[in-house]
Structures are given as C-alpha cells and as structure tokens.
Amino acid sequence: MFIIDRLTDAEVWTIGDLAGVNRGKTALARADISHKALLELKMVFAGTPDKHPRHLNVGRWPIEKDEQKALAVEFCTQSMLYVRPT
C-alpha cells in the first residue's frame, strides 16, 4: 500500500509501475481507499521507507480465513477502482 495524498494521477501510476518492476509488470489498475476508511476498518499502518518513502504495511488482519475474506470484501466496498487508460 502507498500513501498517494497530493500526488498527480501520473505520479500514482509511476509508483504502481515501480511496485511491479521485480515481476516485470506495469500497473494495469489500482484501488484507492481513504485513510478514514482504513481507520474505520481498524487497521494499523507501519511505514517502510526502505522499500519506498510512501510505502505502508497494513496490519491487524483477523486470524480466521472467513474473517479475512469478509474484511477483504469491506476493503473492496470502501475502495475506488481505477483502470489505467490505454
């Protein structure tokens, strides 16, 4: 996950491309979720600037698989999907 506040759309896609370099992939789509929504989902964040200055690890995932899936669905409902223009 990356903090994208105050970035242009082009800058966000560039970060997505950087994230895929190790796999030889460019970003085709992204899901943006607000900080407020993440807090409401009771997630915790830890910056990992060694990976990228804007990179975050997100934690406090439930242990049970069904609860993980339910939380993932909630992430989806709180997110906005953007498909990269071609």
Side-chain angles (χ1 to χ4, degrees):
M1 179 174 286
F2 292 89
I3 300 167
I4 60 169
D5 294 352
R6 294 185 283 279
L7 294 181
T8 66
D9 212 39
E11 291 170 320
V12 175
W13 288 116
T14 298
I15 289 174
D17 290 341
L18 288 172
V21 163
N22 291 340
R23 298 183 320 269
K25 306 269 184 182
T26 58
L28 301 176
R30 70 178 201 251
D32 295 358
I33 188 168
S34 72
H35 181 253
K36 179 183 174 199
L38 289 171
L39 291 176
E40 289 171 0
L41 294 171
K42 301 191 181 357
M43 303 304 290
V44 295
F45 316 94
T48 53
D50 55 315
K51 294 183 181 185
H52 186 279
R54 291 178 168 267
H55 186 266
L56 292 175
N57 283 337
V58 181
R60 200 178 281 156
W61 285 91
I63 295 172
E64 297 296 323
K65 190 70 166 179
D66 288 342
E67 292 175 18
Q68 291 173 5
K69 288 180 181 181
L71 184 56
V73 168
E74 190 61 30
F75 261 80
C76 291
T77 63
Q78 296 292 327
S79 300
M80 179 63 76
L81 175 67
Y82 296 94
V83 177
R84 189 177 215 159
T86 54

